[in-house]
Amino acid sequence: MTDRTDGMNYAPKGKPAPVVKPGQFVFAAVALDHGHIYGMCNGLTEAGGVVKWVYDPDPAKVDAFVKQFPAARRARSEAEVLDDPEVKMVAAAAVPNLRCPLGLRVLDAGKDYFTDKTPMTSLAQVEQARAKVAATGRKYMVYYSERLHVESAMHAGDLVKAGAIGRVLQVTGFGPHSLNAPLRPAWFFVHEQYGGILCDIGSHQIEQFLYYAGAADARVLHAKVANYGHKQQYPELEDYGDATLVADNGATNFFRVDWYSPRQLSTWGDGRTFIVGSEGYIEMRKYCEVGRGEGGDQLYLVNRDGEQHMSLKGKVGFPFFGQLILDCLNRTENAMTQAHAFKAAELCCRCQEQAIRVE
Amino acid sequence: MTDRTDGMNYAPKGKPAPVVKPGQFVFAAVALDHGHIYGMCNGLTEAGGVVKWVYDPDPAKVDAFVKQFPAARRARSEAEVLDDPEVKMVAAAAVPNLRCPLGLRVLDAGKDYFTDKTPMTSLAQVEQARAKVAATGRKYMVYYSERLHVESAMHAGDLVKAGAIGRVLQVTGFGPHSLNAPLRPAWFFVHEQYGGILCDIGSHQIEQFLYYAGAADARVLHAKVANYGHKQQYPELEDYGDATLVADNGATNFFRVDWYSPRQLSTWGDGRTFIVGSEGYIEMRKYCEVGRGEGGDQLYLVNRDGEQHMSLKGKVGFPFFGQLILDCLNRTENAMTQAHAFKAAELCCRCQEQAIRVE
């Protein structure tokens, strides 16, 4: 489940860095439709969380999960999980258009929710989730893994916050993914279910833009999608998408997502992020150093101190998960604010709605 | 005049590869306003051209030119150059908004014109130039140096043509430049004269898009400009711009240009081009391998043969110039078609016209 060539089942492992004592933070895993559930549960357990339950209607998925997390007990139903007062949080990676309905049930049960991205597939769902959070006071947190579970991406945030490149003017992100079509579940190719490419893998990109730019809001200026190469076999797939946005603070964004990573690439995608500031710039080569066989988490910083290359694998860790656990226990927002998580979701839905189609 | 830290005076030198005998192709250099004239004349003389005349109203510019090209005679006027029947071509790097009027005079004199980019600064000029070419049968060629004078960029074109990445779906270009404001002439900061950032340095990007995508035409979908950091000192400068286009064959383009290259970078700009194809992708790191001290012309190719890194400095040469000379002598279009040169110019003007302003 740490297959570098398959983004869907790429579940990073970090060093254990517990922020709580055993049993202080109990969570459950339900809806194992997307392999990201493994990265999510790795992160939470490394930070000291205990996965008490697992539930999915498909026993094969549960079997696989229990192999990785033997402490997890097989629940007989979702209700059994939601009814357990010891469970503080439900982690889930449902089919994208079912992530919000599940989240609403979790929040109604008085628990926090931690879902794989994209957290919603429509603006109506975004509004439902916002209303439910307001009504219950529970958290609807999102695994935006392309920042939260990438050491170079976490370090880039620290550099920006420390002023290493001045005011952030522009963020460009490339999120190419390998299709690996035969390994994908059926829902992956049904537009209503996966939500569209800008909503799905585009959500990572917009979350990073808002974060690095330090922006609370943004406007979609242009977006486009295409199904260049799979019209016959997968008519509802969008195999290409891009968009450009402007944030409330004037910073702009362009991102490109696609399903065209060659199978022969050493990883599932040569993901990049470029941050242009008034005093320098940062580039992240997240998952590989293409053509050099050096692995990912390479960060390049150019500023008044010259050109710097930082190889960050194993050096930063994944502090998000411990912060998330403490946020749940202390009702703080250090890992991520609810407003930020929802704004990224809203904007990726807006991109999808506004997208023109190219051929 | 081969200062790697100053794009305006970056004049690549290649190996001599004459395509003609001495004296077979005589040209002149006039209007030395932009340092690109040196790269242009390097290219033409390495390909066997003889620079017979130089003319500029500023004697200091002529002095500097004659130091580099001692064979060039000082003309007393532009007319003296245009009246010489031996001169086949006039190479020029005028202030951008004067490039077209000069070109019209050159064509009227029965000579071919080779101008620095951007070749025009308005759609009206594009139409004037098209009409003049139609009327005279002369060539109005453009030094789109970020492809024509970059070995990795030339090789990328060969790879694409050979089918190395299948159908080209998307081209992204980054054209960051260092401002070096104190070294710039006054016209550089006057919008009417430099034409706007998308028209000026954006022209390189659009030319590359059309070339790599194999497109004859494209539509501007969105464009933006900003003056983020120089409003007080240089109110007419645009220090940031980007645009996205779709070509007649469905390929799309995004490019970003800016004047934010840190002075401490080893070169004047970390220019990149990314070409995503249906069967693989190419990245060019044109002017430096940031953070690794390895110099530019690094090309990365990922396709069915895996990941490849090619370090191309000194290995490709600059065939454009010899082809251009032969095109002039033989009235062919192997170096570049007139339609292509004009289309890139038209589209960069359209970007500039359609650009929204961000703050």
Side-chain angles (χ1 to χ4, degrees), chain A residues 146-179:
Chain A
E146 293 189 17
R147 182 174 64 86
L148 305 172
H149 229 158
V150 175
E151 293 182 279
S152 53
M154 293 302 285
H155 192 59
D158 294 341
L159 288 169
V160 169
K161 277 191 184 160
I165 59 168
R167 174 187 169 193
V168 170
L169 304 177
Q170 213 269 350
V171 178
T172 293
F174 299 157
H177 287 63
S178 54
L179 185 57

PDB file of all heavy atoms in Angstrom, chain A residues 146-179:
ATOM      1  N   GLU A 146      -1.659  16.294  -1.020  1.00  0.00           N
ATOM      2  CA  GLU A 146      -0.524  16.757  -1.832  1.00  0.00           C
ATOM      3  C   GLU A 146       0.235  17.908  -1.159  1.00  0.00           C
ATOM      4  O   GLU A 146       1.304  18.291  -1.610  1.00  0.00           O
ATOM      5  CB  GLU A 146      -0.976  17.101  -3.257  1.00  0.00           C
ATOM      6  CG  GLU A 146      -1.434  15.842  -4.000  1.00  0.00           C
ATOM      7  CD  GLU A 146      -1.702  16.044  -5.485  1.00  0.00           C
ATOM      8  OE1 GLU A 146      -1.249  17.056  -6.051  1.00  0.00           O
ATOM      9  OE2 GLU A 146      -2.377  15.176  -6.086  1.00  0.00           O
ATOM     10  N   ARG A 147      -0.309  18.440  -0.078  1.00  0.00           N
ATOM     11  CA  ARG A 147       0.472  19.331   0.782  1.00  0.00           C
ATOM     12  C   ARG A 147       0.721  18.666   2.134  1.00  0.00           C
ATOM     13  O   ARG A 147       1.858  18.596   2.596  1.00  0.00           O
ATOM     14  CB  ARG A 147      -0.220  20.683   0.984  1.00  0.00           C
ATOM     15  CG  ARG A 147       0.627  21.644   1.852  1.00  0.00           C
ATOM     16  CD  ARG A 147       0.029  23.032   1.956  1.00  0.00           C
ATOM     17  NE  ARG A 147      -1.258  23.076   2.614  1.00  0.00           N
ATOM     18  CZ  ARG A 147      -1.429  23.165   3.946  1.00  0.00           C
ATOM     19  NH1 ARG A 147      -0.394  23.207   4.755  1.00  0.00           N
ATOM     20  NH2 ARG A 147      -2.640  23.199   4.467  1.00  0.00           N
ATOM     21  N   LEU A 148      -0.335  18.156   2.744  1.00  0.00           N
ATOM     22  CA  LEU A 148      -0.262  17.717   4.139  1.00  0.00           C
ATOM     23  C   LEU A 148       0.616  16.486   4.333  1.00  0.00           C
ATOM     24  O   LEU A 148       1.165  16.286   5.418  1.00  0.00           O
ATOM     25  CB  LEU A 148      -1.672  17.420   4.653  1.00  0.00           C
ATOM     26  CG  LEU A 148      -2.661  18.579   4.502  1.00  0.00           C
ATOM     27  CD1 LEU A 148      -4.069  18.130   4.863  1.00  0.00           C
ATOM     28  CD2 LEU A 148      -2.230  19.764   5.365  1.00  0.00           C
ATOM     29  N   HIS A 149       0.726  15.689   3.280  1.00  0.00           N
ATOM     30  CA  HIS A 149       1.474  14.446   3.408  1.00  0.00           C
ATOM     31  C   HIS A 149       2.706  14.442   2.499  1.00  0.00           C
ATOM     32  O   HIS A 149       3.120  13.384   1.995  1.00  0.00           O
ATOM     33  CB  HIS A 149       0.576  13.243   3.103  1.00  0.00           C
ATOM     34  CG  HIS A 149       0.677  12.180   4.177  1.00  0.00           C
ATOM     35  ND1 HIS A 149      -0.291  11.231   4.406  1.00  0.00           N
ATOM     36  CD2 HIS A 149       1.648  11.934   5.114  1.00  0.00           C
ATOM     37  CE1 HIS A 149       0.073  10.445   5.408  1.00  0.00           C
ATOM     38  NE2 HIS A 149       1.252  10.843   5.846  1.00  0.00           N
ATOM     39  N   VAL A 150       3.276  15.620   2.275  1.00  0.00           N
ATOM     40  CA  VAL A 150       4.456  15.780   1.425  1.00  0.00           C
ATOM     41  C   VAL A 150       5.423  16.702   2.174  1.00  0.00           C
ATOM     42  O   VAL A 150       5.115  17.860   2.433  1.00  0.00           O
ATOM     43  CB  VAL A 150       4.068  16.389   0.057  1.00  0.00           C
ATOM     44  CG1 VAL A 150       5.313  16.658  -0.779  1.00  0.00           C
ATOM     45  CG2 VAL A 150       3.110  15.466  -0.683  1.00  0.00           C
ATOM     46  N   GLU A 151       6.572  16.163   2.514  1.00  0.00           N
ATOM     47  CA  GLU A 151       7.472  16.920   3.386  1.00  0.00           C
ATOM     48  C   GLU A 151       7.975  18.211   2.752  1.00  0.00           C
ATOM     49  O   GLU A 151       8.079  19.242   3.417  1.00  0.00           O
ATOM     50  CB  GLU A 151       8.647  16.025   3.806  1.00  0.00           C
ATOM     51  CG  GLU A 151       8.169  14.884   4.707  1.00  0.00           C
ATOM     52  CD  GLU A 151       9.315  14.015   5.186  1.00  0.00           C
ATOM     53  OE1 GLU A 151       9.749  13.147   4.401  1.00  0.00           O
ATOM     54  OE2 GLU A 151       9.778  14.215   6.321  1.00  0.00           O
ATOM     55  N   SER A 152       8.294  18.162   1.459  1.00  0.00           N
ATOM     56  CA  SER A 152       8.760  19.393   0.808  1.00  0.00           C
ATOM     57  C   SER A 152       7.658  20.445   0.792  1.00  0.00           C
ATOM     58  O   SER A 152       7.926  21.647   0.931  1.00  0.00           O
ATOM     59  CB  SER A 152       9.238  19.095  -0.618  1.00  0.00           C
ATOM     60  OG  SER A 152       8.243  18.414  -1.358  1.00  0.00           O
ATOM     61  N   ALA A 153       6.426  20.004   0.634  1.00  0.00           N
ATOM     62  CA  ALA A 153       5.300  20.947   0.590  1.00  0.00           C
ATOM     63  C   ALA A 153       5.061  21.576   1.957  1.00  0.00           C
ATOM     64  O   ALA A 153       4.731  22.763   2.062  1.00  0.00           O
ATOM     65  CB  ALA A 153       4.050  20.230   0.095  1.00  0.00           C
ATOM     66  N   MET A 154       5.235  20.785   3.008  1.00  0.00           N
ATOM     67  CA  MET A 154       5.086  21.343   4.354  1.00  0.00           C
ATOM     68  C   MET A 154       6.203  22.347   4.630  1.00  0.00           C
ATOM     69  O   MET A 154       5.974  23.429   5.176  1.00  0.00           O
ATOM     70  CB  MET A 154       5.105  20.224   5.407  1.00  0.00           C
ATOM     71  CG  MET A 154       3.907  19.293   5.346  1.00  0.00           C
ATOM     72  SD  MET A 154       2.294  20.130   5.524  1.00  0.00           S
ATOM     73  CE  MET A 154       2.298  20.480   7.297  1.00  0.00           C
ATOM     74  N   HIS A 155       7.411  22.001   4.207  1.00  0.00           N
ATOM     75  CA  HIS A 155       8.525  22.906   4.458  1.00  0.00           C
ATOM     76  C   HIS A 155       8.380  24.201   3.653  1.00  0.00           C
ATOM     77  O   HIS A 155       8.730  25.286   4.134  1.00  0.00           O
ATOM     78  CB  HIS A 155       9.851  22.224   4.119  1.00  0.00           C
ATOM     79  CG  HIS A 155      11.046  22.983   4.610  1.00  0.00           C
ATOM     80  ND1 HIS A 155      11.228  23.279   5.948  1.00  0.00           N
ATOM     81  CD2 HIS A 155      12.098  23.538   3.952  1.00  0.00           C
ATOM     82  CE1 HIS A 155      12.353  23.971   6.082  1.00  0.00           C
ATOM     83  NE2 HIS A 155      12.894  24.149   4.895  1.00  0.00           N
ATOM     84  N   ALA A 156       7.851  24.095   2.459  1.00  0.00           N
ATOM     85  CA  ALA A 156       7.626  25.300   1.647  1.00  0.00           C
ATOM     86  C   ALA A 156       6.716  26.278   2.391  1.00  0.00           C
ATOM     87  O   ALA A 156       6.942  27.491   2.376  1.00  0.00           O
ATOM     88  CB  ALA A 156       7.012  24.924   0.299  1.00  0.00           C
ATOM     89  N   GLY A 157       5.696  25.743   3.046  1.00  0.00           N
ATOM     90  CA  GLY A 157       4.812  26.605   3.818  1.00  0.00           C
ATOM     91  C   GLY A 157       5.560  27.329   4.924  1.00  0.00           C
ATOM     92  O   GLY A 157       5.339  28.536   5.161  1.00  0.00           O
ATOM     93  N   ASP A 158       6.465  26.613   5.575  1.00  0.00           N
ATOM     94  CA  ASP A 158       7.260  27.247   6.638  1.00  0.00           C
ATOM     95  C   ASP A 158       8.154  28.349   6.068  1.00  0.00           C
ATOM     96  O   ASP A 158       8.308  29.417   6.663  1.00  0.00           O
ATOM     97  CB  ASP A 158       8.121  26.202   7.357  1.00  0.00           C
ATOM     98  CG  ASP A 158       7.265  25.196   8.129  1.00  0.00           C
ATOM     99  OD1 ASP A 158       6.081  25.503   8.398  1.00  0.00           O
ATOM    100  OD2 ASP A 158       7.778  24.108   8.447  1.00  0.00           O
ATOM    101  N   LEU A 159       8.754  28.063   4.912  1.00  0.00           N
ATOM    102  CA  LEU A 159       9.625  29.061   4.287  1.00  0.00           C
ATOM    103  C   LEU A 159       8.843  30.319   3.913  1.00  0.00           C
ATOM    104  O   LEU A 159       9.288  31.444   4.153  1.00  0.00           O
ATOM    105  CB  LEU A 159      10.288  28.475   3.027  1.00  0.00           C
ATOM    106  CG  LEU A 159      11.370  27.422   3.266  1.00  0.00           C
ATOM    107  CD1 LEU A 159      11.750  26.738   1.950  1.00  0.00           C
ATOM    108  CD2 LEU A 159      12.609  28.053   3.913  1.00  0.00           C
ATOM    109  N   VAL A 160       7.685  30.117   3.324  1.00  0.00           N
ATOM    110  CA  VAL A 160       6.864  31.276   2.934  1.00  0.00           C
ATOM    111  C   VAL A 160       6.484  32.085   4.169  1.00  0.00           C
ATOM    112  O   VAL A 160       6.594  33.314   4.181  1.00  0.00           O
ATOM    113  CB  VAL A 160       5.612  30.811   2.167  1.00  0.00           C
ATOM    114  CG1 VAL A 160       4.616  31.959   2.002  1.00  0.00           C
ATOM    115  CG2 VAL A 160       5.998  30.249   0.803  1.00  0.00           C
ATOM    116  N   LYS A 161       6.049  31.387   5.213  1.00  0.00           N
ATOM    117  CA  LYS A 161       5.644  32.084   6.441  1.00  0.00           C
ATOM    118  C   LYS A 161       6.806  32.847   7.062  1.00  0.00           C
ATOM    119  O   LYS A 161       6.618  33.906   7.664  1.00  0.00           O
ATOM    120  CB  LYS A 161       5.094  31.082   7.456  1.00  0.00           C
ATOM    121  CG  LYS A 161       3.639  30.749   7.207  1.00  0.00           C
ATOM    122  CD  LYS A 161       3.059  29.967   8.377  1.00  0.00           C
ATOM    123  CE  LYS A 161       1.626  29.555   8.064  1.00  0.00           C
ATOM    124  NZ  LYS A 161       1.175  28.444   8.900  1.00  0.00           N
ATOM    125  N   ALA A 162       8.011  32.308   6.910  1.00  0.00           N
ATOM    126  CA  ALA A 162       9.187  32.977   7.467  1.00  0.00           C
ATOM    127  C   ALA A 162       9.656  34.135   6.585  1.00  0.00           C
ATOM    128  O   ALA A 162      10.640  34.799   6.909  1.00  0.00           O
ATOM    129  CB  ALA A 162      10.320  31.959   7.630  1.00  0.00           C
ATOM    130  N   GLY A 163       8.969  34.355   5.470  1.00  0.00           N
ATOM    131  CA  GLY A 163       9.309  35.500   4.627  1.00  0.00           C
ATOM    132  C   GLY A 163      10.427  35.247   3.636  1.00  0.00           C
ATOM    133  O   GLY A 163      10.987  36.186   3.071  1.00  0.00           O
ATOM    134  N   ALA A 164      10.741  33.985   3.390  1.00  0.00           N
ATOM    135  CA  ALA A 164      11.902  33.665   2.544  1.00  0.00           C
ATOM    136  C   ALA A 164      11.793  34.202   1.123  1.00  0.00           C
ATOM    137  O   ALA A 164      12.808  34.438   0.471  1.00  0.00           O
ATOM    138  CB  ALA A 164      12.124  32.147   2.505  1.00  0.00           C
ATOM    139  N   ILE A 165      10.569  34.375   0.627  1.00  0.00           N
ATOM    140  CA  ILE A 165      10.425  34.869  -0.756  1.00  0.00           C
ATOM    141  C   ILE A 165       9.563  36.126  -0.814  1.00  0.00           C
ATOM    142  O   ILE A 165       9.072  36.502  -1.886  1.00  0.00           O
ATOM    143  CB  ILE A 165       9.860  33.780  -1.705  1.00  0.00           C
ATOM    144  CG1 ILE A 165       8.486  33.284  -1.236  1.00  0.00           C
ATOM    145  CG2 ILE A 165      10.832  32.603  -1.820  1.00  0.00           C
ATOM    146  CD1 ILE A 165       7.759  32.431  -2.281  1.00  0.00           C
ATOM    147  N   GLY A 166       9.374  36.798   0.294  1.00  0.00           N
ATOM    148  CA  GLY A 166       8.593  38.038   0.294  1.00  0.00           C
ATOM    149  C   GLY A 166       7.112  37.770   0.119  1.00  0.00           C
ATOM    150  O   GLY A 166       6.587  36.739   0.552  1.00  0.00           O
ATOM    151  N   ARG A 167       6.454  38.698  -0.527  1.00  0.00           N
ATOM    152  CA  ARG A 167       5.014  38.563  -0.787  1.00  0.00           C
ATOM    153  C   ARG A 167       4.786  37.522  -1.875  1.00  0.00           C
ATOM    154  O   ARG A 167       5.429  37.575  -2.934  1.00  0.00           O
ATOM    155  CB  ARG A 167       4.452  39.914  -1.245  1.00  0.00           C
ATOM    156  CG  ARG A 167       3.001  39.848  -1.677  1.00  0.00           C
ATOM    157  CD  ARG A 167       2.510  41.169  -2.286  1.00  0.00           C
ATOM    158  NE  ARG A 167       1.217  40.967  -2.916  1.00  0.00           N
ATOM    159  CZ  ARG A 167       0.637  41.832  -3.738  1.00  0.00           C
ATOM    160  NH1 ARG A 167       1.218  42.978  -4.024  1.00  0.00           N
ATOM    161  NH2 ARG A 167      -0.546  41.551  -4.272  1.00  0.00           N
ATOM    162  N   VAL A 168       3.878  36.594  -1.643  1.00  0.00           N
ATOM    163  CA  VAL A 168       3.574  35.594  -2.667  1.00  0.00           C
ATOM    164  C   VAL A 168       2.721  36.231  -3.758  1.00  0.00           C
ATOM    165  O   VAL A 168       1.650  36.779  -3.482  1.00  0.00           O
ATOM    166  CB  VAL A 168       2.858  34.372  -2.065  1.00  0.00           C
ATOM    167  CG1 VAL A 168       2.335  33.449  -3.168  1.00  0.00           C
ATOM    168  CG2 VAL A 168       3.810  33.605  -1.155  1.00  0.00           C
ATOM    169  N   LEU A 169       3.221  36.161  -5.004  1.00  0.00           N
ATOM    170  CA  LEU A 169       2.513  36.767  -6.127  1.00  0.00           C
ATOM    171  C   LEU A 169       1.786  35.726  -6.969  1.00  0.00           C
ATOM    172  O   LEU A 169       0.721  36.001  -7.503  1.00  0.00           O
ATOM    173  CB  LEU A 169       3.507  37.510  -7.026  1.00  0.00           C
ATOM    174  CG  LEU A 169       4.366  38.584  -6.343  1.00  0.00           C
ATOM    175  CD1 LEU A 169       5.348  39.176  -7.343  1.00  0.00           C
ATOM    176  CD2 LEU A 169       3.480  39.665  -5.734  1.00  0.00           C
ATOM    177  N   GLN A 170       2.380  34.537  -7.083  1.00  0.00           N
ATOM    178  CA  GLN A 170       1.805  33.558  -7.998  1.00  0.00           C
ATOM    179  C   GLN A 170       2.167  32.155  -7.577  1.00  0.00           C
ATOM    180  O   GLN A 170       3.297  31.911  -7.132  1.00  0.00           O
ATOM    181  CB  GLN A 170       2.325  33.808  -9.422  1.00  0.00           C
ATOM    182  CG  GLN A 170       1.341  33.482 -10.530  1.00  0.00           C
ATOM    183  CD  GLN A 170       1.450  32.038 -11.034  1.00  0.00           C
ATOM    184  OE1 GLN A 170       2.370  31.312 -10.691  1.00  0.00           O
ATOM    185  NE2 GLN A 170       0.486  31.623 -11.838  1.00  0.00           N
ATOM    186  N   VAL A 171       1.224  31.250  -7.715  1.00  0.00           N
ATOM    187  CA  VAL A 171       1.457  29.833  -7.444  1.00  0.00           C
ATOM    188  C   VAL A 171       1.028  29.056  -8.685  1.00  0.00           C
ATOM    189  O   VAL A 171      -0.093  29.234  -9.178  1.00  0.00           O
ATOM    190  CB  VAL A 171       0.636  29.354  -6.229  1.00  0.00           C
ATOM    191  CG1 VAL A 171       0.861  27.866  -5.988  1.00  0.00           C
ATOM    192  CG2 VAL A 171       0.986  30.169  -4.983  1.00  0.00           C
ATOM    193  N   THR A 172       1.937  28.240  -9.195  1.00  0.00           N
ATOM    194  CA  THR A 172       1.588  27.332 -10.291  1.00  0.00           C
ATOM    195  C   THR A 172       1.765  25.911  -9.803  1.00  0.00           C
ATOM    196  O   THR A 172       2.782  25.589  -9.184  1.00  0.00           O
ATOM    197  CB  THR A 172       2.481  27.568 -11.531  1.00  0.00           C
ATOM    198  OG1 THR A 172       2.195  28.850 -12.079  1.00  0.00           O
ATOM    199  CG2 THR A 172       2.221  26.513 -12.607  1.00  0.00           C
ATOM    200  N   GLY A 173       0.777  25.090 -10.056  1.00  0.00           N
ATOM    201  CA  GLY A 173       0.860  23.695  -9.642  1.00  0.00           C
ATOM    202  C   GLY A 173       0.588  22.759 -10.797  1.00  0.00           C
ATOM    203  O   GLY A 173      -0.316  22.994 -11.598  1.00  0.00           O
ATOM    204  N   PHE A 174       1.398  21.709 -10.877  1.00  0.00           N
ATOM    205  CA  PHE A 174       1.149  20.639 -11.849  1.00  0.00           C
ATOM    206  C   PHE A 174       0.782  19.388 -11.066  1.00  0.00           C
ATOM    207  O   PHE A 174       1.560  18.948 -10.207  1.00  0.00           O
ATOM    208  CB  PHE A 174       2.401  20.308 -12.667  1.00  0.00           C
ATOM    209  CG  PHE A 174       2.936  21.444 -13.495  1.00  0.00           C
ATOM    210  CD1 PHE A 174       4.276  21.441 -13.881  1.00  0.00           C
ATOM    211  CD2 PHE A 174       2.131  22.493 -13.920  1.00  0.00           C
ATOM    212  CE1 PHE A 174       4.792  22.463 -14.674  1.00  0.00           C
ATOM    213  CE2 PHE A 174       2.643  23.511 -14.697  1.00  0.00           C
ATOM    214  CZ  PHE A 174       3.976  23.497 -15.066  1.00  0.00           C
ATOM    215  N   GLY A 175      -0.360  18.814 -11.374  1.00  0.00           N
ATOM    216  CA  GLY A 175      -0.776  17.584 -10.715  1.00  0.00           C
ATOM    217  C   GLY A 175      -1.056  16.478 -11.709  1.00  0.00           C
ATOM    218  O   GLY A 175      -2.186  16.005 -11.822  1.00  0.00           O
ATOM    219  N   PRO A 176      -0.015  16.051 -12.443  1.00  0.00           N
ATOM    220  CA  PRO A 176      -0.215  14.929 -13.368  1.00  0.00           C
ATOM    221  C   PRO A 176      -0.330  13.622 -12.590  1.00  0.00           C
ATOM    222  O   PRO A 176       0.311  13.448 -11.551  1.00  0.00           O
ATOM    223  CB  PRO A 176       1.057  14.946 -14.215  1.00  0.00           C
ATOM    224  CG  PRO A 176       2.107  15.523 -13.310  1.00  0.00           C
ATOM    225  CD  PRO A 176       1.391  16.506 -12.408  1.00  0.00           C
ATOM    226  N   HIS A 177      -1.150  12.732 -13.064  1.00  0.00           N
ATOM    227  CA  HIS A 177      -1.357  11.435 -12.416  1.00  0.00           C
ATOM    228  C   HIS A 177      -1.347  10.356 -13.499  1.00  0.00           C
ATOM    229  O   HIS A 177      -1.795  10.593 -14.620  1.00  0.00           O
ATOM    230  CB  HIS A 177      -2.719  11.383 -11.714  1.00  0.00           C
ATOM    231  CG  HIS A 177      -2.808  12.196 -10.460  1.00  0.00           C
ATOM    232  ND1 HIS A 177      -2.678  13.567 -10.437  1.00  0.00           N
ATOM    233  CD2 HIS A 177      -3.036  11.824  -9.172  1.00  0.00           C
ATOM    234  CE1 HIS A 177      -2.822  14.005  -9.185  1.00  0.00           C
ATOM    235  NE2 HIS A 177      -3.044  12.970  -8.401  1.00  0.00           N
ATOM    236  N   SER A 178      -0.903   9.183 -13.118  1.00  0.00           N
ATOM    237  CA  SER A 178      -0.996   8.074 -14.071  1.00  0.00           C
ATOM    238  C   SER A 178      -2.386   7.456 -13.955  1.00  0.00           C
ATOM    239  O   SER A 178      -2.942   7.329 -12.863  1.00  0.00           O
ATOM    240  CB  SER A 178       0.095   7.038 -13.812  1.00  0.00           C
ATOM    241  OG  SER A 178       0.066   6.625 -12.482  1.00  0.00           O
ATOM    242  N   LEU A 179      -2.921   7.084 -15.088  1.00  0.00           N
ATOM    243  CA  LEU A 179      -4.315   6.645 -15.105  1.00  0.00           C
ATOM    244  C   LEU A 179      -4.475   5.245 -14.540  1.00  0.00           C
ATOM    245  O   LEU A 179      -5.382   5.007 -13.738  1.00  0.00           O
ATOM    246  CB  LEU A 179      -4.841   6.709 -16.546  1.00  0.00           C
ATOM    247  CG  LEU A 179      -6.327   6.393 -16.723  1.00  0.00           C
ATOM    248  CD1 LEU A 179      -7.187   7.316 -15.883  1.00  0.00           C
ATOM    249  CD2 LEU A 179      -6.718   6.507 -18.193  1.00  0.00           C
TER     250      LEU A 179
END
